[in-house]
Amino acid sequence: MAILTWVLISLAIWHFTVFFPDHFLGGINGAFLASAVGGVLGGFLLSGLEFPTRHDTTVATVALGIPGTLIALALLYFVGKRREEAQQA
Amino acid sequence: MTDRRRNILVLLFVAVLVAASGVVIATKPTKLGLDLQGGVQLIYQVSPTKGESLTEDSIQRTIDVMQDRINQYGVGEAEIQRSGQDQIDVSLPSIDNPEEARQRVGTTAQLVFYDWEPNVVGPNGETNAADPNITGGASAGERTNPVAISQFDAVMRGSKLKPITNNGPGQMPPVAGTQYYLVDTKAKKVLTNGPQESLESITGDKRLAKYFDAAGKPIPPAKIVEVPEGYRVIQAADSNNQAGEVIPAGDKWFLIRDRPSLRGNDIKDPAQSFSSGGLRKEPSVVFSFTSEGKKRWQDTTKAIAKRGADNCLFQQGEPRAQRIQRCSNHFAIVLDQQLISSPLIDFERNPDGISGSTGSEISGSFTLKSAQALADLLKSGSLPLKLTIISQQQVSASLGQEALDQGLLAGIIGFGVVAIFLVAFYRVLGVIAVLGLGVYTVFFMAIVKLIPIVLTLPGIAGLILTIAVAADANVVIFERVKDELQNGRSVPRAIKDGYRKGLTAIIDGNVITFLVAFILFLVATAGVKGFAFNLGIGVIVSMFTAVLMTRAILGLLSRSPIITHPAALGARKRNPIWHRFDFVGASRWFFAASGVILALGAIAIGGKGLNFGIDFESGTQIKANAKAGTTVEDVRNALKTVGEGDAKIQQVKLSGASDKSGRVTFQISTEALSTAKEQEVGRSLAVVGVSQADLNSNTVGPTFGQTVARMAIIAILASFALIAFVIWFRFGLQFTVPILIAVIHDLLITAGIYAATGAEVTASTVAALLTIIGYSLYDTIIVFDRIRENLKRLPSAAISQIVNRSMSEVLGRSLVTSFSTGLPVLALLLFGGDTLKDFALAMLIGTISGAYSSVFIASPVLTAAMERAPKFRARRKRLMEAHGGHLPAYPEGNTAKEVEPDGPRKSGRRVTSPEGPDQAVSKQEFQEMVSELGIETSAASTVTAPREPSAAKPAKKPEPQPDPDAPVSRADDLSPEEVESRYEKPSGGKKKSSRRHGRPR
């Protein structure tokens, strides 16, 4: 259940990437993948390298998916932007 | 063959099929499932036994034995089928006693005969036939035997012994292997339900999970103990009181050496009879022996008689009967884990044993019914494999009938509202579509009766949904027809093009729905299988009626006055409210809205969790109709008497007859109950006016719950993979990713709403989720189909402009298909009863979400992804420069120039190039021109080559918008007759320019 909440929150965040210029590596599809992977991975790390069980999943568990998603998206954005600049140069 | 002739043939064929279907419907009975006619469904898990591994053959033999038992049970229309790798599904209609059904069908019925005295194991593991302190003397295997001990003590006694795998030369081998028990050493209780044949059976049992720590070790005082091979723990025999009532043995057990004298396969022709001895004729079971059995019987009884005689010290003055009682040894008959009886062998009358030539008799504490049941079990033989019941469902006949009524009502209302909608929206086209739906329903019902398909409640849901599928197909085509009409085509041409252009989207959508149904059918449990089967069959049949048949009718009517006016076809003036709306520009706000909904869904799942039903969680759900005025407290008090006062009790509102009767319906949820306990609960509810026959119960064991969960995951993943492949194959990778993102969006939103509303997630919900995938894709395919078409049509436009234009063109269609799907789904939700509500809620959310995501998620994602392509990036840059740094939402000026989207011409030649110097154009070229202009010709008509080829010139200027309210002018698309007259005798009427390329703006 925790994984489901992390996927949900990470994809919720992904929906807001459209407000940023499209410099994400792999574009909107890349951002989609990165946010989902980042959310689950971040949640897993912040949960102490375990997936909380269904009964241990709370609203706080949902929040654990946010940092990973943001980091993954930020990384993807800066890598994508740098690559674009390199190509233009 | 001309179109007309083909259409007539199609309709004749349909008429013949309808007549044949009518005969089938009138003459063949409908096979109703248990949920519609009442009965008991038992799902067993099979596991290997000693000497019998789990193979195809052993499972089939088990099914054969069960089938034989069902036949002897006298249940008509019973069904037994294998489900998955290791499950057997038994449906017994018209049965209202699950415990009896379970005993009659699923009992292993392993019959073993033991020489009693030498095999009873004493306190220190010793055996001594001559010691009554060990054997219990005259009372032998009865519950009153002083040496009978508790099950816990018997198990613990056995656990201290060493295994004996060989009973010696000439002796039969032990019937049982090592037996595992989970015991509570403090409460001195056995926690497992009988012996388990493997440790995994205990550690894997969810009900016992609380006795194990995270590492899988039993938490003291729980302990796993083993009774080694060579020993068995068996329960004492039940007895009868003076009134003939059965007194259960209770916690009275024996530990015996597993040295069988005869086994079940040594006897034949068992039959229920009445005992030959005694004053009262008691029910008994008589049988004869096989030739091998005869010898063993004689030898064993001779040994028992001899031992009786040898150990008997004669006492002066003791009556014979008393002496025989005191000295005779016994013969024990054990069925599975319990003694049936332990008759004595009269050593004085039978010093040489009892001949097996006249057979023998088992008499014990039988009632007439139990004696008959045992005889039947022995007749069919023991089951080769062990059966563990993992799910059982009981549906009362009255509630089954009510469910049927509700399902049919939902179907009729669903059909009715779709019909009204189609007629109101498409007028004449709608009437034809309704006719198609009617024919579809007739065909479907005939197929249901002919195959025959067992009609279940989920099956009815499948049927209703296929009505929506069929209606959707018509909507897609009719919207295309309206497009063509509004583009100035004649009615016949619009119909022809509408069907041609709409067909690919329909096929794509239906292929995906069919594949989803197929996967569901492969992995689903029985109830959902019915849904999947009907959905699959319905998709195929609906293609025939919604496309082929309606096309034939319209083809014949195309020149009829009733459909020459666009208003008759529902083709109104264009420019809906979203005309020239900047969908792509606004998509970020829709994206944000979706993001917020998903975030709320995540919080709901985190905070409340998903409310999984017993299909996943395991447990027992009992639905009972109590007398008017009964409260939850009354029900709880009744349940307290059987120790189930902690059960979750809800008063539920029923529609239909139950509601009108004034009786109150309660749903009671508990942990998974055994069939006996379930009956006990049912009996306890009698005080609140609940009769056993009116009880609806559903018990799902942990194993079955795990199976359902596994099925759900496999089905969703497999559907996803298959759909991704099909979309990739049909549309390419660029289109596939946005489609999958949209589907994920729909599934997650549905999950979030389920969490927020607390709606129960059942196996049906999973089926509905999969159907959502199909429906969501249908919508997206329609949008993407148009984008793909417009990509070719508008080679100079930016991708956002193409997407905007495409969405503007198909949004109406998308809304109409969603609405036409939503209507029957809503009927299911409102009128379909509890089971169908599970389907309907998920379907309704999915349908709305699917329509939304196809326009506001999939298309913008596609736009963003495609705009990264250098071609579109350059195009966008160029257009922005041309418009002062601003990109118009829709193609304007030169960008709006269209090209024929149907791709390159077959012939590389110029159409206007003549074959000879004396000809303007060749006959073949003229035919091509006629075809290009959308003019239909018949074989009978002759086409005269025109003197001037000017009619074939492409229209350079956009045409004026036709007045949709005016009768359709046939100037664009002339009939063959008109073609002739046009060139032979020029008409003085208004003549529109014919177009080869482009559409009117």
Side-chain angles (χ1 to χ4, degrees):
Chain A
M1 201 58 70
I3 298 176
L4 180 62
T5 61
W6 293 335
V7 170
L8 267 162
I9 199 69
S10 60
L11 296 189
I13 294 169
W14 166 78
H15 279 79
F16 292 92
T17 56
V18 290
F19 289 97
F20 291 84
D22 186 10
H23 295 306
F24 295 99
L25 186 68
I28 197 164
N29 296 340
F32 180 86
L33 195 67
S35 58
V37 173
V40 174
L41 208 63
F44 178 68
L45 289 173
L46 292 176
S47 301
L49 298 177
E50 64 174 24
F51 293 109
T53 63
R54 217 174 100 201
H55 299 291
D56 294 336
T57 303
T58 61
V59 177
T61 315
V62 180
L64 298 181
I66 298 173
T69 308
L70 294 176
I71 291 168
L73 285 173
L75 269 175
L76 205 73
Y77 186 87
F78 288 112
V79 171
K81 193 156 196 270
R82 183 169 287 187
R83 192 171 284 192
E84 278 175 22
E85 283 167 357
Q87 277 173 356
Q88 279 167 6
Chain B
M1 189 186 291
T2 63
D3 284 353
R4 185 178 166 76
R5 193 171 292 173
R6 193 192 60 222
N7 291 337
I8 290 171
L9 274 178
V10 169
L11 291 181
L12 276 175
F13 180 59
V14 170
V16 170
L17 280 182
V18 168
S21 300
V23 172
V24 171
I25 291 170
T27 54
K28 292 243 174 192
T30 310
K31 218 171 166 186
L32 295 178
L34 285 186
D35 52 353
L36 298 178
Q37 63 168 323
V40 172
Q41 184 195 40
L42 304 167
I43 300 176
Y44 291 98
Q45 186 174 44
V46 288
S47 48
T49 52
K50 186 171 175 280
E52 193 71 67
S53 57
L54 202 63
T55 60
E56 292 291 321
D57 175 60
S58 61
I59 293 175
Q60 190 51 51
R61 277 187 288 123
T62 305
I63 290 174
D64 291 343
V65 172
M66 293 170 87
Q67 185 67 60
D68 196 30
R69 290 179 181 180
I70 289 169
N71 294 343
Q72 287 167 20
Y73 194 7
V75 184
E77 302 284 308
E79 285 211 355
I80 176 164
Q81 57 188 4
R82 187 173 169 184
S83 169
Q85 288 296 310
D86 59 353
Q87 289 174 14
I88 296 173
D89 187 339
V90 181
S91 298
L92 304 167
S94 314
I95 297 287
D96 56 10
N97 188 338
E99 175 63 11
E100 188 189 340
R102 190 186 65 77
Q103 284 184 353
R104 297 292 291 254
V105 178
T107 304
T108 306
Q110 190 179 53
L111 189 74
V112 188
F113 298 75
Y114 290 99
D115 183 349
W116 179 251
E117 276 77 8
N119 287 318
V120 181
V121 179
N124 300 314
E126 77 281 24
T127 54
N128 186 347
D131 184 354
N133 293 322
I134 290 175
T135 64
S139 48
E142 289 171 22
R143 57 189 283 279
T144 50
N145 188 329
V147 301
I149 50 179
S150 71
Q151 188 184 17
F152 175 81
D153 288 338
V155 168
M156 294 311 286
R157 185 180 288 180
S159 68
K160 292 168 190 153
L161 304 173
K162 295 265 182 281
I164 304 169
T165 54
N166 192 341
N167 285 329
Q171 297 284 319
M172 295 176 92
V175 293
T178 307
Q179 302 135 74
Y180 299 89
Y181 293 84
L182 182 70
V183 297
D184 183 334
T185 51
K186 195 173 173 191
K188 298 193 181 301
K189 253 174 56 181
V190 173
L191 302 168
T192 43
N193 186 20
Q196 303 298 312
E197 294 187 2
S198 66
L199 270 175
E200 290 73 35
S201 314
I202 297 176
T203 53
D205 191 336
K206 251 185 159 183
R207 280 174 293 196
L208 302 173
K210 59 185 172 190
Y211 299 110
F212 291 89
D213 61 17
K217 302 269 179 221
I219 305 165
K223 185 183 174 188
I224 292 178
V225 291
E226 294 175 21
V227 173
E229 185 174 0
Y231 295 92
R232 289 185 73 187
V233 174
I234 56 168
Q235 193 175 19
D238 296 339
S239 56
N240 286 49
N241 63 12
Q242 293 290 331
E245 290 165 341
V246 176
I247 302 166
D251 196 17
K252 298 286 181 185
W253 299 75
F254 300 97
L255 178 70
I256 62 164
R257 279 277 284 112
D258 191 4
R259 276 188 297 210
S261 300
L262 285 95
R263 295 181 64 168
N265 50 11
D266 290 320
I267 66 163
K268 61 180 186 181
D269 306 328
Q272 186 269 316
S273 182
F274 290 93
S275 57
S276 45
L279 293 173
R280 207 167 53 185
K281 292 280 180 192
E282 303 272 359
S284 66
V285 177
V286 292
F287 54 87
S288 50
F289 293 99
T290 60
S291 53
E292 182 70 17
K294 272 182 203 166
K295 186 176 176 305
R296 285 190 180 142
W297 175 249
Q298 175 101 44
D299 291 348
T300 308
T301 49
K302 186 177 176 184
I304 294 172
K306 183 171 182 302
R307 201 171 53 240
D310 290 349
N311 295 337
C312 196
L313 292 172
F314 281 80
Q315 292 172 4
Q316 199 66 33
E318 185 184 33
R320 190 192 104 82
Q322 203 173 326
R323 186 173 59 254
I324 294 301
Q325 278 291 329
R326 181 172 61 81
C327 296
S328 290
N329 277 208
H330 299 79
F331 194 77
I333 303 164
V334 177
L335 183 70
D336 295 335
Q337 309 302 321
Q338 190 176 19
L339 273 151
I340 299 293
S341 70
S342 49
L344 59 82
I345 303 295
D346 186 335
F347 61 93
E348 288 183 2
R349 282 195 181 154
N350 307 294
D352 295 323
I354 304 169
S355 163
S357 56
T358 54
S360 189
E361 176 188 76
I362 306 173
S363 54
S365 55
F366 291 122
T367 60
L368 193 61
K369 211 170 176 181
S370 62
Q372 182 63 55
L374 178 61
D376 288 345
L377 283 175
L378 296 179
K379 248 183 235 172
S380 52
S382 66
L383 291 170
L385 297 171
K386 186 186 173 195
L387 295 182
T388 310
I389 197 153
I390 55 172
S391 168
Q392 68 181 49
Q393 190 176 17
Q394 180 193 356
V395 181
S396 74
S398 58
L399 280 174
Q401 182 61 46
E402 196 170 308
L404 177 61
D405 294 344
Q406 286 172 334
L408 291 178
L409 180 70
I412 291 166
I413 292 175
F415 185 94
V417 287
V418 168
I420 291 168
F421 170 71
L422 287 174
V423 172
F425 210 75
Y426 295 108
R427 317 281 168 84
V428 178
L429 289 179
V431 172
I432 293 164
V434 172
L435 192 66
L437 289 183
V439 171
Y440 162 73
T441 311
V442 170
F443 283 176
F444 192 93
M445 288 315 296
I447 291 171
V448 163
K449 291 189 173 209
L450 204 61
I451 289 180
I453 299 171
V454 179
L455 202 60
T456 59
L457 214 47
I460 291 179
L463 167 63
I464 294 170
L465 289 177
T466 53
I467 291 175
V469 171
D472 271 5
N474 281 128
V475 168
V476 170
I477 289 165
F478 295 167
E479 285 295 319
R480 272 287 187 177
V481 170
K482 280 165 72 174
D483 278 355
E484 299 301 320
L485 282 172
Q486 282 159 343
N487 288 335
R489 299 282 195 204
S490 68
V491 171
R493 190 71 219 175
I495 290 168
K496 198 165 187 175
D497 284 355
Y499 273 90
R500 183 173 57 82
K501 291 178 180 175
L503 196 60
T504 50
I506 293 169
I507 291 174
D508 286 339
N510 282 355
V511 162
I512 284 166
T513 308
F514 181 80
L515 289 176
V516 167
F518 182 68
I519 289 173
L520 205 50
F521 183 78
L522 287 185
V523 300
T525 51
V528 178
K529 258 190 171 60
F531 167 80
F533 193 80
N534 286 4
L535 189 63
I537 293 271
V539 165
I540 297 168
V541 179
S542 72
M543 282 285 285
F544 177 72
T545 55
V547 179
L548 210 60
M549 187 195 129
T550 57
R551 183 180 182 167
I553 297 175
L554 276 170
L556 286 179
L557 288 178
S558 62
R559 297 187 194 289
S560 153
I562 57 167
I563 58 167
T564 48
H565 197 288
L569 308 178
R572 292 179 199 83
K573 202 173 176 67
R574 223 176 208 181
N575 299 350
I577 51 169
W578 56 81
H579 182 60
R580 298 190 73 79
F581 178 75
D582 185 3
F583 291 94
V584 175
S587 67
R588 60 177 55 190
W589 302 110
F590 290 107
F591 254 64
S594 282
V596 171
I597 294 171
L598 284 178
L600 290 175
I603 292 167
I605 292 176
K608 294 174 71 179
L610 285 168
N611 176 18
F612 286 105
I614 62 164
D615 290 351
F616 294 98
E617 297 279 46
S618 85
T620 295
Q621 233 169 37
I622 297 171
K623 201 172 274 181
N625 263 340
K627 64 188 175 194
T630 306
T631 63
V632 169
E633 265 323 292
D634 295 336
V635 177
R636 192 173 301 286
N637 288 336
L639 292 176
K640 274 180 187 166
T641 60
V642 287
E644 292 297 332
D646 294 335
K648 185 179 160 194
I649 305 164
Q650 289 173 294
Q651 188 175 336
V652 291
K653 177 115 181 90
L654 285 189
S655 53
S658 299
D659 192 38
K660 286 169 195 155
S661 66
R663 291 176 73 81
V664 197
T665 305
F666 292 93
Q667 183 171 291
I668 300 157
S669 307
T670 66
E671 77 282 10
L673 302 177
S674 66
T675 39
K677 184 75 180 175
E678 213 176 277
Q679 283 208 309
E680 213 179 301
V681 168
R683 280 194 294 270
S684 74
L685 293 172
V687 293
V688 289
V690 175
S691 78
Q692 282 285 96
D694 273 345
L695 220 57
N696 257 27
S697 70
N698 188 9
T699 296
V700 176
T703 316
F704 191 66
Q706 284 164 6
T707 305
V708 172
R710 195 170 52 240
M711 172 276 288
I713 292 166
I714 292 172
I716 289 175
L717 291 180
S719 303
F720 222 74
L722 198 63
I723 285 165
F725 179 75
V726 172
I727 299 288
W728 170 75
F729 184 72
R730 293 284 297 127
F731 286 84
L733 185 65
Q734 211 159 28
F735 285 77
T736 307
V737 177
I739 288 178
L740 294 183
I741 288 176
V743 171
I744 291 171
H745 169 272
D746 297 339
L747 292 177
L748 293 180
I749 283 205
T750 309
I753 293 177
Y754 260 72
T757 57
E760 199 174 63
V761 180
T762 64
S764 304
T765 313
V766 176
L769 280 176
L770 290 176
T771 318
I772 287 171
I773 294 178
Y775 268 82
S776 171
L777 282 171
Y778 206 162
D779 262 338
T780 317
I781 284 168
I782 290 168
V783 177
F784 279 21
D785 213 32
R786 183 55 68 95
I787 291 174
R788 200 168 52 166
E789 191 181 315
N790 281 340
L791 274 171
K792 295 174 192 165
R793 197 187 290 280
L794 297 161
S796 327
I799 184 69
S800 62
Q801 294 176 323
I802 293 170
V803 170
N804 268 338
R805 160 101 173 250
S806 304
M807 289 206 280
S808 176
E809 287 171 351
V810 299
L811 183 61
R813 184 181 315 177
S814 196
L815 287 178
V816 174
T817 50
S818 300
F819 194 65
S820 65
T821 307
L823 286 175
V825 172
L826 196 64
L828 274 181
L829 187 67
L830 296 177
F831 306 103
D834 284 353
T835 310
L836 295 188
K837 272 180 189 156
D838 292 341
F839 277 100
L841 181 65
M843 281 293 304
L844 196 64
I845 298 167
T847 306
I848 296 166
S849 176
Y852 167 83
S853 69
S854 59
V855 174
F856 296 112
I857 303 292
S859 302
V861 170
L862 178 72
T863 309
M866 287 185 82
E867 261 189 348
R868 292 173 67 86
K871 182 173 77 173
F872 288 107
R873 192 176 280 183
R875 208 185 277 181
R876 183 187 175 86
K877 196 177 167 192
R878 195 180 64 240
L879 287 170
M880 284 180 77
E881 281 167 3
H883 289 86
H886 158 75
L887 182 69
Y890 283 77
E892 289 176 2
N894 285 340
T895 322
K897 271 189 181 169
E898 296 179 15
V899 295
E900 182 58 46
D902 291 340
R905 303 186 54 74
K906 285 176 199 165
S907 164
R909 290 177 299 129
R910 282 179 58 227
V911 173
T912 48
S913 114
E915 280 179 349
D918 55 332
Q919 284 178 291
V921 288
S922 68
K923 192 174 176 182
Q924 186 198 344
E925 283 174 336
F926 182 68
Q927 294 281 19
E928 286 177 20
M929 287 157 56
V930 169
S931 169
E932 278 205 327
L933 291 167
I935 301 167
E936 288 180 354
T937 59
S938 68
S941 65
T942 54
V943 181
T944 310
R947 290 187 196 95
E948 293 174 58
S950 57
K953 279 184 184 170
K956 295 284 181 195
K957 292 176 188 173
E959 293 176 23
Q961 186 80 18
D963 178 7
D965 294 320
V968 171
S969 161
R970 295 201 171 186
D972 288 6
D973 307 285
L974 301 175
S975 67
E977 296 76 23
E978 286 169 318
V979 173
E980 286 182 66
S981 62
R982 182 174 171 175
Y983 296 108
E984 286 167 359
K985 192 170 63 181
S987 155
K990 183 186 169 190
K991 183 182 156 193
K992 283 187 180 178
S993 64
S994 299
R995 296 169 295 110
R996 267 189 63 210
H997 301 302
R999 299 189 304 172
R1001 307 297 326 131

